[in-house]
Structures are given as C-alpha cells and as structure tokens.
Amino acid sequence: MILTDDERRMLEGEQGPAVQKAMELLVRYAEALGAERFVDTNNVCGANILTPSMMRHFKSHDEAFSKMSLDSDETVEIPQVKVFSCQLIGPMDREQWEVQGVSREFYEGTMESMDYNARHGIHLMNTCTPYQVGNVPVKGEHCAWMESSAVVYINSVLGARTNVEGRESTAAAMLTGKIPYWGYHLDENRFGTHLIEVEFDVESNMDWGMLGYFVGEMVEDKVPVLNGIRHVPDLLRLKHFGAAAASSGGVEMYHIPGITAEARTLEEAFGPNRPRATFKYGEAERRKVYEELNSTAHDRDVDLVMIGCPHAGIEQIREVCNLLDGKKIHSNCELWVFTPSPIRKLAEQNGYLKILQDAGAKLMSDTCPAIGQFLPKGTKVVALDSAKQVHYLPAIMNVQGWFGSTADCVRAALTGRWDGGLH
Amino acid sequence: MSIILRGRKVVGGFAEGEALVTRQTISGWGGVNPATGTIIESRHELRGVSFKDKVLVFPGAKGSSGWSGIFHAARMAGTAPKAMIFNEMTTKIALGAVVTRVPSVTDLDQDPLDVIETGDWVRVDGDRGIVEVIKKHERA
C-alpha cells in the first residue's frame, strides 16, 4: 500500500512508540482489507473502558490499552489522542451503578478506567448515540466509528463516511488520525444495491423499527433504497430503523430519496447500479416481522420494561412521562429508561426525572442491559420498544422478550402484564 | 490427492488442522463465547460447537462492531481457530483476523464452502494465499 511521508514517519517511530504501534496495526489491517491507502480522520468513536474483571489480566492501564486496544505485545506509554475522540456506550452507569447492581469495587475500578480515558483526551460521551449529544459529523466527513447503529445513522442520514470499525482500529485512529480508505469511504460503494417497495404506510416509531428489521433480513449488509415513504421520519424513527437494520442484517448505509443525505431521487440513490433485487413490504411482511420479534416470549407477567435502545432522546422521555400519567409502576415490575447523560441532565431540569422517580421508574445513562449484561434480580420476562434490543437481549441474558410500542411497554410497566399487539 | 485453492493473503503465516465449515456468517459479540471459542448464537447451525484449534471455513462476519474484540479475547484465552478461510471481506473480519493473528485467506479461485467439509485436513499458507485440502475419506 502507499504511505504518505507523515504516515511513514509515524510507522518509523518518529512520534513515539504508541503512535508507531498504532500505525503498525493500521497497516496490518489495511493490508488485510486490500486497501491501497489511508484517509485522514478527525472524528473517532471507540470503546476503551475496561471493567475490573478485564483489568485483572494487566498491571497498568497503559499495558491494557497497548495489548487490548492497539494489539501490541509490548507495553507502551499512551500519549494524548491526536484527533477528536469519543467513548461510546460502556459497561457502567457512573451515577446509578447501585441500581445496576454492581459492587463498589467494580464501580471504583471502572471509574479508574474512565478517568484514564478522559486524561488521554477521550470524551466520555458514554452513549451509542453520539449524534444526539453534539458529535454530528457533516456530509462528506471521514470518520472512524464503532457501534453499528451509529455508523448506519451518520452514513445514511448525515452523509458522513465511516465503516463499522472495531476497538483496535478506532484506538489506533485516535492516536494517528488515520483509517483505511476502503468500503464506505469511497463514492462507488455508497450507491443503492436493493430496492424496497414500502407499501405499508410506516409512521410510528415501532413501525420504523419493524421495517428496519425486515430490510436487514432481506439485504444483509448491502445498501437498501426505500421507495414509497409517505411520512417524513424524524431522528427518533431513523435511529430505530437503522439500529434494527444493522442488527438483523448488518446494514451500514441506506437511502430514502428526498430524505437522507445523498439521494434526492431514486436515480441518485442507485447511481450507476441497477437494483439487484426488489422486496415488497406490506401488511403480510409487517405481521411476520412482528411475530418474529415476539418469538422468544410466552409468559405475560413482565419483570422489566426497558426503553432507550438506542439511547432515548428527550422527546421519548417526555412521551414516557405522559404515558405514565401520574400513576405508579406495578410492584412486580421495573421501568428502566436509558438516555445519554447530558439528556438525563436536561430531563432533570425539565422535571421529567422527578415524574419518573415519583412513578417508581429509573432514568439511567452510560450503558444498557445488553452491553453491561445486567438485569433486575430474578428477571425472566422483559418488554422492549426496540427491535434491536429484542434481537440481542433474550440471547445474551437468557430471558423472554416482548416487543411493542412505547405505549404498550409503559402500560405493561403499570399493570405488570403484557397486552401489546399489532394495530 | 489433495486439492489446491489459490486466493489472497489476509494474514500471513502457516497452519494446518481439521476444518470446521459453516455456510452461515458468524457474529462475534453476542455470537461467540470467547472463554471456550463456542458459537452461542440462537439458531446458528454451529451453536454449541467450539472453533478452538480448528481451521474455520465460513462465508464471513456479521453483527456488532465488537467482532474483533471477541476474537481478540479468544486469542488471549487460547480458544482461537488455527486459521480462517472466508469469502466476504468486511472491516469486521479483516480487523478480527488481524488481531486473532492466525493465517487467513480470502478471494479463493473455488468456493471453499463447496470444496471443504468439516473433518477435512486443511493446510493454510497465509503468505502465499494457498489452501491445500486433504479430504477426510483420503485421510489415513
């Protein structure tokens, strides 16, 4: 592959051993991909928070970062990151770790890892949705992000350019400002490949999640183009759509002509490509997806209702407050809402936190039950308004998962019973 | 008689071992338990099977961006496959193969999923991109 002078100097160690190790990893990775060169990036989102159970293999945080994040056998001193860098969702809620059920030792150890990241210039956004709290890449901006739901959002809705990166490639990009110029960084890979004829009038958040799940199953990791959308979706709906499509299939890029960043028309969406296949989404397909998403559940007594996958925005928190309508959560059930910590602050300032607390609900941040692998003790049945979470959580935590609208979910929290359905 | 497939280096080095073949893509995070190298994804045809010390032959990677992290953890736990042979290049599998540090090849001149069966003996020369297959019925 072709290296520029500054890349060669980094590889030769001119900027210190950590940058050298980072560059070595990036060269191995780029060669594995078959990339011909790197592209500069000044926007990296990665995941380097380690819990005490991971840290016990290492003597220092520098050793852990060297080995786990840079794949280096040698321990090197890690300098400040070179470019704008953010931490994605992590294993622990900084404020409500006790609700999460972790020990003080776990809390203190994980906080130490977070402090280490902060001291190195990595911003502790601690969310799967950096684009909700100020990291909003512009069209054409080359990024290096992990988190499949965030990648598909910034590629498609915003027109930024990133592949689904991993822990090691993002850590190396933080220290070098480089990432392989491959995949979705290149124009020719961003055009549509498959056409989805949407016959059902998709409007609600729940419907956008189901459509996303369907699309991912149909196209796997290709580039779908949606035709026939009658209502312009908002951030919330596209957040759920992309997260679901990335979970069921691995979609990293899609187009909705007239709505997403790179396609004013169907022709623009496909560019030089012809659709390889066309799939119809109507009543029957919608019902099938609904049944699939509810296939792990049969017991109607619900132990936990979880809202906020991907992390909830302020309008979703308001919606939950309105649905609670001054009532209390059922004594056999918990209601957990997850949101980025700056939005939790806003919810507090707006009075929503008090409404949730008065109802017996919890507003949490920084993590989620799938990433942190925690649930209230004894949980067997959960109810979720997220197609992504219902895809992962039953498998990871061995629970039953109901899927429905936010209203279905909040009603389950108030009655302790699932009575959701497809309307 | 062995069968020779020619492709492209992903990660160099040489390894040989018994093939473990699946026609289904593999999820890393949420799909593999790195402590044992076992596939855990519900409904996967290899569910409950470990790839430890096998030559893993599969279409490619899918799922979460934690793919490389899980295979990295498998290497550190000593449960990684001996080599990887796959069809579909993605950032997940490229980075995953690099940090697993096992010989890996792709872009083969015949579909490895058609040629190789579980139980065949496979030699992987990562640097030259060459895969040699000894069919199980020809193994002594």
Side-chain angles (χ1 to χ4, degrees):
Chain A
M1 69 180 297
I2 303 157
L3 296 182
T4 60
D5 286 346
D6 71 318
E7 288 159 3
R8 193 173 309 281
R9 285 198 298 272
M10 286 192 257
L11 193 58
E12 284 162 2
E14 202 177 86
Q15 294 178 26
V19 172
Q20 184 177 27
K21 291 292 177 197
M23 211 58 214
E24 284 173 9
L25 172 77
L26 287 171
V27 168
R28 283 196 283 148
Y29 171 43
E31 284 178 345
L33 283 168
E36 282 165 16
R37 65 177 183 90
F38 292 111
V39 64
D40 290 339
T41 178
N42 187 38
N43 191 336
V44 185
C45 287
N48 298 292
I49 295 175
L50 297 184
T51 61
S53 60
M54 300 166 181
M55 270 307 291
R56 75 193 146 90
H57 302 291
F58 308 104
K59 290 185 204 70
S60 69
H61 285 281
D62 274 352
E63 185 191 0
F65 198 98
S66 301
K67 292 185 176 167
M68 294 302 291
S69 298
L70 297 179
D71 191 34
S72 159
D73 290 331
E74 200 183 307
T75 298
V76 290
E77 190 185 336
I78 306 299
Q80 281 270 317
V81 295
K82 187 181 281 179
V83 298
F84 177 44
S85 300
C86 300
Q87 165 66 37
L88 290 159
I89 189 166
M92 186 188 77
D93 187 319
R94 281 169 283 189
E95 290 184 20
Q96 306 200 69
W97 53 276
E98 282 171 299
V99 176
Q100 192 184 328
V102 301
S103 68
R104 176 161 287 279
E105 187 200 352
F106 183 97
Y107 163 72
E108 284 171 356
T110 308
M111 284 307 287
E112 224 179 79
S113 175
M114 287 195 212
D115 290 344
Y116 174 85
N117 277 274
R119 281 202 306 280
H120 286 78
I122 299 167
H123 301 100
L124 298 176
M125 286 193 166
N126 293 12
T127 177
C128 46
T129 61
Y131 53 87
Q132 292 196 114
V133 289
N135 188 347
V136 187
V138 297
K139 187 171 177 181
E141 184 173 354
H142 290 282
C143 301
W145 284 30
M146 287 181 74
E147 174 52 51
S148 58
S149 73
V151 163
V152 67
Y153 189 90
I154 69 168
N155 268 336
S156 314
V157 183
L158 305 179
R161 297 185 173 213
T162 183
N163 294 306
V164 169
E165 295 297 341
R167 173 192 283 156
E168 301 85 356
S169 59
T170 50
M174 288 176 184
L175 296 176
T176 60
K178 304 287 179 181
I179 201 75
Y181 184 66
W182 191 87
Y184 291 110
H185 290 287
L186 283 76
D187 289 342
E188 62 260 37
N189 298 322
R190 298 176 65 85
F191 293 111
T193 60
H194 291 70
L195 180 63
I196 312 292
E197 289 288 1
V198 183
E199 292 176 2
F200 187 82
D201 188 5
V202 177
E203 208 286 314
S204 70
N205 177 34
M206 173 178 165
D207 264 311
W208 275 98
M210 290 194 289
L211 176 59
Y213 204 79
F214 170 80
V215 167
E217 286 190 325
M218 292 301 115
V219 311
E220 297 186 327
D221 58 357
K222 301 302 183 289
V223 185
V225 179
L226 305 189
N227 191 37
I229 296 302
R230 283 169 258 177
H231 293 88
V232 177
D234 56 10
L235 182 157
L236 162 65
R237 287 166 176 77
L238 293 181
K239 178 176 71 176
H240 274 258
F241 171 80
S247 303
S248 63
V251 173
E252 298 177 29
M253 173 97 202
Y254 62 86
H255 299 282
I256 312 176
I259 294 171
T260 53
E262 294 181 19
R264 283 170 297 187
T265 62
L266 212 51
E267 292 68 39
E268 244 180 40
F270 281 102
N273 296 347
R274 311 222 99 207
R276 289 183 214 169
T278 299
F279 300 102
K280 180 194 85 151
Y281 184 77
E283 286 276 4
E285 290 76 17
R286 177 175 179 255
R287 173 152 297 281
K288 189 164 167 282
V289 170
Y290 180 81
E291 281 162 9
E292 230 176 295
L293 289 171
N294 279 292
S295 65
T296 65
H298 49 269
D299 293 331
R300 292 195 174 258
D301 286 336
V302 174
D303 304 304
L304 170 71
V305 175
M306 183 230 160
I307 308 284
C309 168
H311 277 172
I314 193 70
E315 76 279 27
Q316 290 173 276
I317 298 173
R318 177 168 184 260
E319 185 190 0
V320 171
C321 289
N322 289 342
L323 289 165
L324 285 168
D325 194 26
K327 300 187 195 76
K328 292 240 185 285
I329 305 299
H330 192 270
S331 55
N332 295 336
C333 191
E334 299 268 0
L335 172 58
W336 286 358
V337 182
F338 290 81
T339 190
S341 66
I343 296 180
R344 186 175 190 276
K345 182 73 186 168
L346 178 59
E348 184 182 351
Q349 290 165 333
N350 247 69
Y352 302 147
L353 178 60
K354 184 165 187 316
I355 293 171
L356 291 172
Q357 285 170 339
D358 288 348
K362 302 286 193 300
L363 185 58
M364 300 173 76
S365 291
D366 305 333
T367 185
C368 80
I371 292 285
Q373 306 205 352
F374 60 90
L375 288 169
K377 236 191 165 95
T379 296
K380 291 190 190 73
V381 182
V382 298
L384 307 159
D385 71 347
S386 160
K388 174 176 181 171
Q389 192 78 196
V390 86
H391 175 86
Y392 278 118
L393 199 59
I396 293 173
M397 298 299 285
N398 198 23
V399 292
Q400 299 175 38
W402 290 106
F403 167 79
S405 67
T406 309
D408 289 341
C409 287
V410 173
R411 207 167 51 250
L414 292 171
T415 62
R417 293 277 296 172
W418 181 256
D419 70 350
L422 195 59
H423 305 293
Chain B
M1 264 295 283
S2 63
I3 305 165
I4 303 288
L5 308 180
R6 289 168 204 281
R8 176 173 86 73
K9 166 191 163 182
V10 176
V11 175
F14 178 86
E16 60 184 311
E18 202 173 270
L20 177 65
V21 185
T22 174
R23 286 196 167 267
Q24 296 179 343
T25 49
I26 292 178
S27 272
W29 184 86
V32 166
N33 176 1
T36 55
T38 305
I39 308 280
I40 56 166
E41 183 183 346
S42 358
R43 303 197 295 272
H44 199 284
E45 65 184 16
L46 291 187
R47 184 165 187 208
V49 179
S50 173
F51 51 56
K52 180 177 191 280
D53 295 334
K54 304 285 186 193
V55 173
L56 186 59
V57 186
F58 61 127
K62 68 166 174 186
S64 149
S65 56
W67 213 93
S68 67
I70 291 293
F71 277 76
H72 193 154
R75 184 194 96 216
M76 294 179 106
T79 66
K82 275 192 167 168
M84 294 202 251
I85 300 169
F86 59 90
N87 285 332
E88 183 98 0
M89 179 54 84
T90 58
T91 49
K92 283 168 204 159
I93 201 160
L95 186 61
V98 162
V99 302
T100 309
R101 300 189 191 172
V102 293
S104 302
V105 295
T106 190
D107 288 341
L108 290 153
D109 54 5
Q110 291 181 70
D111 187 344
L113 299 175
D114 289 340
V115 177
I116 309 173
E117 295 165 277
T118 294
D120 291 350
W121 191 259
V122 180
R123 298 191 175 113
V124 181
D125 183 341
D127 292 294
R128 293 160 67 210
I130 291 176
V131 173
E132 184 183 0
V133 185
I134 298 144
K135 297 301 293 179
K136 56 186 163 190
H137 56 80
E138 290 180 10
R139 286 173 66 186

